[in-house]
Amino acid sequence: RGVPPSECRPWRAAVARDWRHLGRAPPALRGDRQTILEAVRQDCRALGLASKKARGDLGLVREALRVGGGMTLAGATETVRSDRDLVLDAVRMDGRAISKAFLQKYREDREFVMEAVRQDWRALAHASDELKSDRDVVLEAVKQDWKALQFAPEGVCKDREVMTVA
């Protein structure tokens, strides 16, 4: 069932050179924590090439977030992407990670959206319509870049303070 050590070394070396080799590695190595983390260090998309069991391991995904950043969340299973604390950690690393959250409720959660927008104004694009209309949320995004106005409804865009900040 496992991969003999003599076969592991070349695969680990291949993944160390190029994360995409993880997708062609034997199934046992696609579930190997060390190999997965090495691949994720190179590119956050590598988690998506890991075994389903590994992508559903909350501890491994949390570790992968630390080495690969918030967008690593995209490779996790739906169950893991539904974990509130994990998603909030990912959003704190990269606001755009809110787009990878499985549950819509996070896009409707003011705390999540504000945290995401603080990290990256482009996260406003993934907020619920109600929060895109929230003056404070839009102001937070506009403080970073006036282009955030493209995601806000006309009424908020006409707000004097929002326009002054933009």
Side-chain angles (χ1 to χ4, degrees):
R1 205 162 206 266
V3 180
S6 61
E7 200 176 318
C8 286
R9 280 187 290 279
W11 276 108
R12 283 191 176 131
V15 169
R17 283 190 310 276
D18 185 341
W19 64 273
R20 291 172 288 220
H21 288 293
L22 182 61
R24 294 185 292 278
L29 275 175
R30 290 188 16 243
D32 178 68
R33 181 180 234 86
Q34 175 187 342
T35 306
I36 294 166
L37 293 175
E38 176 57 42
V40 169
R41 273 186 196 88
Q42 296 172 48
D43 193 297
C44 67
R45 295 174 294 176
L47 185 61
L49 301 176
S51 69
K52 185 172 183 173
K53 184 177 179 184
R55 292 182 295 112
D57 178 331
L58 192 59
L60 173 63
V61 173
R62 193 172 296 283
E63 212 173 322
L65 285 174
R66 277 195 290 279
V67 299
M71 294 301 281
T72 304
L73 186 63
T77 61
E78 290 177 1
T79 302
V80 170
R81 289 184 289 129
S82 299
D83 183 275
R84 187 180 199 287
D85 293 333
L86 183 81
V87 173
L88 189 54
D89 286 347
V91 163
R92 285 181 175 136
M93 292 175 197
D94 185 334
R96 294 171 301 158
I98 198 168
S99 69
K100 306 305 178 194
F102 177 64
L103 299 176
Q104 177 65 26
K105 70 180 182 181
Y106 297 134
R107 298 170 195 217
E108 297 168 352
D109 183 313
R110 193 170 193 280
E111 177 189 4
F112 268 85
V113 172
M114 280 298 278
E115 188 62 42
V117 168
R118 279 187 197 104
Q119 300 304 317
D120 190 318
W121 64 270
R122 294 171 291 188
L124 185 60
H126 304 288
S128 67
D129 289 342
E130 180 182 336
L131 289 174
K132 286 178 184 175
S133 297
D134 184 308
R135 184 175 172 274
D136 294 331
V137 173
V138 174
L139 267 172
E140 190 65 43
V142 169
K143 285 177 190 175
Q144 294 173 47
D145 196 313
W146 66 269
K147 294 178 202 158
L149 291 174
Q150 69 186 305
F151 305 121
E154 190 175 323
V156 177
C157 293
K158 290 180 178 179
D159 181 281
R160 182 180 301 271
E161 186 178 358
V162 171
M163 292 309 296
T164 302
V165 171

